[in-house]
Amino acid sequence: QVQLQESGPGLVKPSETLSLTCAVSGYSISSGYYWGWIRQPPGKGLEWIGRIYHSGNTYYNPSLKSRVTISLDMSKNQFSLRLSSVTAADTAVYYCTRGHTLNWFDPWGQGTLVTVSS
Amino acid sequence: DIQMTQSPSSLSASVGDRVTITCRASQSISTYLNWYQQKPGKAPKLLIYTASSLQSGVPSRFSGSGSGTDFTLTISGLQPEDFATYYCQQSYSTPLTFGGGTKVEIK
């Protein structure tokens, strides 16, 4: 059974960089599929952030592209998100997920709330 | 970007009711449409992929249909555990986008 678990600071100061890690168990991230991040501001809908293939190729939402980096760590079977120059608008629950070839997402991590505040 | 519009944004229904949720894309997306269920404080859960394929383990009372720009999610015989928010998501092109959600509440 594939499981994903997000980790990282729950509080980030404005203008700093948000960094999260997603640990994957039950499946080797080097074996296939792709791995991605989705966020959800409190009480709002879902926003796709981006994805990384097991090859290392990345695709980002153009609305965030200049600030986002997603990377893989095959040795630890995990992948990471970095979002720079954060503002209060980046406050959200961040989910990591596995993406399928035809771009549906399953499974998802439980999510982690990141608050941007001084 | 492809805009996804769900209707209604919320609805009240009783256990046993048949519920239909609609999702409309701003352009044709063939059958590249997925549905998720989200309960409070939990991550979304995949229900339906490619418009009508039921994800493994999902009860058969959930069904999806549609193609092009108009899609529906139907729950045939609403159960207490089905009260949640439902999201559609287009998987036709990047950036991948979601509908605004439909909250199904108890009448």
Side-chain angles (χ1 to χ4, degrees):
Chain A
Q1 179 184 1
V2 182
Q3 293 186 311
L4 292 79
Q5 177 68 58
E6 306 89 348
S7 62
L11 181 63
V12 181
K13 290 182 168 56
S15 79
E16 295 190 343
T17 296
L18 177 161
S19 295
L20 296 174
T21 297
C22 181
V24 180
S25 59
Y27 188 85
S28 172
I29 62 174
S30 62
S31 295
Y33 294 103
Y34 67 77
W35 308 92
W37 292 93
I38 293 166
R39 70 180 183 178
Q40 185 173 36
K44 296 188 178 180
L46 298 159
E47 180 182 30
W48 178 72
I49 298 171
R51 66 189 182 204
I52 186 165
Y53 287 83
H54 61 281
S55 62
N57 288 340
T58 54
Y59 294 87
Y60 301 133
N61 191 323
S63 67
L64 298 169
K65 186 176 182 179
S66 64
R67 300 193 290 130
V68 174
T69 303
I70 298 175
S71 59
L72 294 174
D73 186 338
M74 303 286 196
S75 66
K76 295 182 178 179
N77 210 44
Q78 63 186 31
F79 60 103
S80 299
L81 169 70
R82 288 173 58 87
L83 181 66
S84 64
S85 304
V86 297
T87 69
D90 295 310
T91 293
V93 175
Y94 286 76
Y95 296 100
C96 60
T97 185
R98 183 175 69 173
H100 292 245
T101 304
L102 295 184
N103 293 325
W104 65 80
F105 305 112
D106 179 74
W108 297 55
Q110 66 183 24
T112 187
L113 174 63
V114 179
T115 301
V116 178
S117 174
S118 55
Chain B
D1 299 6
I2 298 175
Q3 307 303 317
M4 306 301 294
T5 304
Q6 287 183 236
S7 61
S9 57
S10 65
L11 65 89
S12 296
S14 300
V15 172
D17 284 353
R18 178 184 177 92
V19 169
T20 298
I21 298 169
T22 297
C23 179
R24 175 164 290 174
S26 60
Q27 66 183 73
S28 178
I29 58 171
S30 184
T31 57
Y32 293 97
L33 190 284
N34 312 303
W35 290 98
Y36 301 86
Q37 176 194 65
Q38 185 178 34
K39 296 182 179 179
K42 299 295 186 181
K45 171 189 171 184
L46 178 69
L47 297 177
I48 303 281
Y49 59 93
T50 57
S52 60
S53 297
L54 191 68
Q55 171 68 348
S56 176
V58 174
S60 59
R61 62 180 179 272
F62 291 92
S63 63
S65 64
S67 66
T69 60
D70 295 318
F71 302 86
T72 59
L73 173 70
T74 300
I75 310 173
S76 301
L78 197 66
Q79 296 299 301
E81 59 268 30
D82 301 336
F83 292 95
T85 299
Y86 294 84
Y87 292 94
C88 61
Q89 174 239 329
Q90 65 83 13
S91 50
Y92 181 79
S93 66
T94 54
L96 306 175
T97 49
F98 293 84
T102 296
K103 187 174 184 179
V104 177
E105 300 175 300
I106 301 173
K107 182 181 285 185

